[in-house]
Every structure is written in structure tokens, then in C-alpha cells.
Amino acid sequence: MAFYETHRSSPAFLKTNVGRNRNLDFPLHFHTSFELLYVWEGEIEVVVDRSTYVAQKGSLVLILPDLAHSYCTRTHSETGILIFNKNYLPEICEEAQAGVRRDPMILDGKELFEELKGSEGEPLLFRAALYRIAAAYAKNKPLFTAPERGDGFVFAFSEYMEKHYTEQISEASVAKALGYHPRYLSALVNKSFGASFCRVLNDYRVREACTLLLSGEKSITEIYLAVGFESQSTFNRNFKTVMGVTPMQYKQGYLIGRHDHIDGK
């Protein structure tokens, strides 16, 4: 399933610093901002709108707004991510809205990325560097047709879940809030996300729990209550279902370098 990142869909959103992330793995998600990935070392598998690409050392990947995407490190990777509002590259957005997309990969992007990173804190230089990347994107990659968008259910449902998943919501309460019959909403969720309502809800809660676990600022009890679980046993069971390990194993894995915190993701 893909989750919607509300905070990255603000018209004012801009992440100006590029951290260095080791062994990046991040589940399927989407937002209304551009996302730029650079590979310093190793290689990483990138899924964009159901197509899979392998980004190797020196590759630059530009992902357009509203496209579901995920990352999976094969063996090892060192990457940097920059996320910026779509107003910075309006021409590309206009193309996308017209139903035309391009392969997201830009190969041999070291020089372009170094120019962009060097422009941090300088708005005009930053915008100029982005336009150089956009020009390379337009010149080097073939066109492909964008998939047709649905009736907006995925966005409406995802936005509601992003805002309310920590509350004691149910399939019936969400259906009422969005104006659907519960059985119809259940069918739409399964069709759109490939999972039941409960699994989607638990994925949202576990994703936030991962962030809180890595921050080290809350106890396990505080974490499971903060993300909406009613008991530690339910939290542990659902966390292991989603992540494959227990909450403590996940945290310990991070501490010894198997799970690296992704700054800003």
C-alpha cells in the first residue's frame, strides 16, 4: 500500500538540507512535492508508479509530484534526498498534468547534484541548479504516458488517515466521515491499497512508531498509546506483522547499523 505524506504536500514545503542516508529503505508513499535522490555509493532499487529502476553510484533520480514511489537497498547504499515544492519547476508540472511523464532517471548526475548541494541557503542559485537538472531530465529521457487518475478516493482516504490514524477510528467511522457505505469503503480500500482497512490503519501507526522508537524520547508504553494502539501486546503483534521484527529488535537493529534513520523522511 502507499501512504500519503500530508506534511510534504504543503505549498510552502521545502527541505533545503541534504543528509547522507545509509542503506535507505522506505515504503511506498506519495506527496505533491518533487523528490530528488542522489546515489553516492552502492545501488538502490527505486519503484516509481509501478515501474522499477536500479540507481547506481552517481545516479540522480527526479520523481514527479503525486507519483507513488519507494526505495529498497539491495546490498548497501549511501544516498542523499532533497524534497521541494512543485512551484520550483512549474513547467514539468504542466507537462505532467497534461498526461505526459518521463522516465525519472538521470544518469551521471554527480556534477548536477554537487551544484545543487552547493546552492543550499542561496535561493536564486538553488533555483538555477534545479533548472539545470530539469533541462537534463527533459533532454535525456523518453516520454511515457501517465496512468489515468481515479476519482480522488485514494487521496481523500489517505489524507484522512494521515490526520486521524492515532485516534480510535474504525472502518465505519471513516466511511461516515468520507460519505461512503462501510462495505463500499472496504471494497475501495482493498482495491486501491491491496490490503484491508485494519492493515492500512496499522501500517500508518507502525510507521509513526518506527520514527518514535528511533528518536529515543519515549518509552514503549508511551509510543504505542501515542500512535493509537490500546495495548502493548496488540502493538507488538502488529509491529512484527508489518516490519518483520519486534519493536525492540527494530530499535536494536538501528543502534548497530542495520536500520538507519532517514533524516527528514
Side-chain angles (χ1 to χ4, degrees):
M1 58 157 288
F3 62 87
Y4 177 53
E5 291 192 307
T6 305
H7 65 293
R8 300 192 189 282
S9 297
S10 164
F13 184 82
L14 171 64
K15 179 187 174 188
T16 56
N17 62 309
V18 182
R20 194 154 181 150
N21 309 309
R22 184 158 60 93
N23 296 334
L24 173 63
D25 286 291
F26 203 77
L28 198 64
H29 63 290
F30 60 99
H31 43 68
T32 62
S33 294
F34 283 96
E35 188 158 327
L36 191 69
L37 173 83
Y38 179 71
V39 184
W40 269 298
E41 298 290 343
E43 65 178 30
I44 188 168
E45 187 175 277
V46 184
V47 174
V48 181
D49 217 18
R50 301 183 183 180
S51 296
T52 301
Y53 309 86
V54 177
Q56 299 177 331
K57 180 179 179 179
S59 296
L60 196 63
V61 184
L62 179 65
I63 299 170
L64 299 177
D66 299 324
L67 288 181
H69 54 286
S70 65
Y71 304 114
C72 179
T73 295
R74 291 185 164 184
T75 54
H76 78 282
S77 69
E78 296 277 348
T79 57
I81 288 180
L82 183 74
I83 300 171
F84 55 93
N85 178 264
K86 57 187 178 182
N87 292 330
Y88 279 88
L89 293 178
E91 294 84 357
I92 292 182
C93 285
E94 288 173 7
E95 257 184 13
Q97 290 168 358
V100 176
R101 297 261 162 80
R102 290 185 171 88
D103 182 329
M105 190 71 66
I106 301 173
L107 299 179
D108 302 322
K110 182 178 180 181
E111 180 181 344
L112 291 168
F113 184 75
E114 286 181 348
E115 179 182 346
L116 182 66
K117 187 158 173 47
S119 70
E120 291 177 356
E122 299 288 342
L124 292 179
L125 292 177
F126 177 80
R127 190 180 293 271
L130 285 181
Y131 269 93
R132 278 175 53 81
I133 290 172
Y137 169 86
K139 179 180 178 181
N140 295 325
K141 295 300 160 190
L143 299 176
F144 67 93
T145 302
E148 292 184 4
R149 290 292 173 195
D151 62 359
F153 169 76
V154 170
F155 286 86
F157 175 81
S158 297
E159 187 168 25
Y160 185 88
M161 295 294 283
E162 187 77 24
K163 292 178 179 178
H164 300 284
Y165 68 88
T166 60
E167 304 167 13
Q168 294 307 307
I169 58 176
S170 66
E171 193 169 65
S173 68
V174 175
K176 182 178 181 180
L178 296 181
Y180 292 94
H181 188 281
R183 284 198 298 272
Y184 186 51
L185 180 126
S186 178
L188 284 174
V189 170
N190 273 283
K191 180 181 178 181
S192 301
F193 298 96
S196 68
F197 172 85
C198 287
R199 175 56 192 267
V200 173
L201 175 59
N202 288 331
D203 277 9
Y204 274 93
R205 289 173 171 172
V206 167
R207 175 170 56 87
E208 177 62 16
C210 287
T211 300
L212 295 175
L213 281 165
L214 298 186
S215 74
E217 296 175 357
K218 294 181 181 292
S219 67
I220 292 291
T221 300
E222 289 174 321
I223 289 172
Y224 79 70
L225 290 174
V227 301
F229 288 107
E230 295 184 319
S231 71
Q232 185 167 341
S233 60
T234 302
F235 171 55
N236 288 344
R237 183 177 66 253
N238 284 288
F239 192 99
K240 189 167 185 178
T241 297
V242 175
M243 300 302 296
V245 293
T246 67
M248 288 309 300
Q249 287 171 332
Y250 179 85
K251 185 171 184 176
Q252 289 165 0
Y254 162 68
L255 292 175
I256 64 174
R258 289 199 301 266
H259 292 283
D260 290 288
H261 179 54
I262 306 168
D263 178 40
K265 284 299 293 176

